[in-house]
């Protein structure tokens, strides 16, 4: 009877609380598997990832903070162990592609707007020039205005 109670106490001490379980999942999603750096340790099936999952669970159960655990792995493997690099490197890694895409859309919109405006004015000036009832002075003035706008 005492043996069963001792076994249950030990098993309950090694079972993470709901908060600890959330912390473990969060840390497993932050750390890359060091064998190939292609997946997080939460989903990767290598021996190294399994060992790291066990270490993370042990450290969380021992009361270590998230920062201490991340610091431990950064010291052991470097910044590449993190899914999202800390500090400025992480901001650059995610910020630069967003800026590039937004800039490309802006340039595309600007170029298309200018092209549409130019084509509309060219068509309008040709239609006016072909009309016989328009005095020659007016046609010349329109040509100068249209040419001045696009130079």
């Amino acid at each position: 009877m005492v043996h069963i109670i001792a076994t249950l106490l030990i098993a309950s001490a090694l079972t993470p609380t709901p908060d600890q379980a959330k912390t473990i999942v969060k840390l497993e999603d932050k750390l890359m598997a060091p064998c190939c750096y292609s997946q997080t340790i939460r989903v990767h099936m290598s021996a190294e990832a399994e060992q790291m999952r066990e270490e993370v669970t042990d450290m969380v159960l021992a009361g270590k903070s998230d920062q201490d655990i991340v610091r431990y792995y950064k010291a052991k493997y470097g910044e590449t162990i993190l899914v999202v690099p800390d500090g400025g490197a992480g901001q650059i890694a995610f910020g630069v592609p967003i800026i590039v895409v937004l800039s490309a859309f802006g340039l595309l919109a600007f170029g298309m707007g200018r092209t549409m405006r130019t084509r509309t004015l060219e068509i309008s000036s040709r239609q006016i020039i072909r009309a016989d009832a328009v005095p020659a002075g007016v046609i010349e003035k329109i040509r100068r205005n249209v040419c001045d706008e696009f130079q």
Side-chain angles (χ1 to χ4, degrees):
M1 182 72 164
V2 173
H3 180 52
I4 293 173
I5 294 173
T7 304
L8 288 174
L9 286 173
I10 290 171
S12 67
L14 298 177
T15 304
T17 66
D19 286 340
Q20 288 173 324
K22 286 179 188 176
T23 301
I24 291 168
V25 169
K26 184 173 76 173
L27 286 166
E28 288 175 350
D29 284 337
K30 273 186 176 183
L31 301 169
M32 298 296 288
C35 58
C36 61
Y37 296 102
S38 65
Q39 293 177 316
T40 63
I41 64 169
R42 184 169 178 230
V43 296
H44 199 63
M45 301 308 296
S46 67
E48 293 90 347
E50 177 62 33
Q51 179 185 353
M52 284 180 70
R53 284 193 294 271
E54 290 173 8
E55 291 172 357
V56 167
T57 300
D58 292 344
M59 287 189 248
V60 169
L61 292 175
K64 298 229 183 230
S65 72
D66 295 13
Q67 293 85 8
D68 289 340
I69 296 169
V70 169
R71 240 183 267 122
Y72 168 78
Y73 284 110
K74 278 176 48 180
K76 188 172 181 179
Y77 296 104
E79 283 283 324
T80 55
I81 199 69
L82 300 176
V83 171
V84 178
D86 283 341
Q91 292 173 349
I92 290 171
F94 287 102
V96 168
I98 291 170
I99 291 170
V100 167
V101 168
L102 292 176
S103 298
F105 279 125
L107 289 171
L108 182 65
F110 176 75
M112 288 184 70
R114 186 173 173 117
T115 300
M116 295 301 290
R117 190 172 53 240
T118 303
R119 290 186 53 85
T120 303
L121 288 173
E122 285 175 1
I123 291 168
S124 299
S125 65
R126 283 190 205 133
Q127 289 171 346
I128 292 171
I129 291 170
R130 287 189 191 131
D132 294 333
V134 180
V138 174
I139 293 173
E140 188 57 32
K141 192 173 185 180
I142 290 171
R143 281 188 183 144
R144 274 184 293 184
N145 288 339
V146 169
C147 291
D148 289 342
E149 267 189 57
F150 295 103
Q151 289 181 357

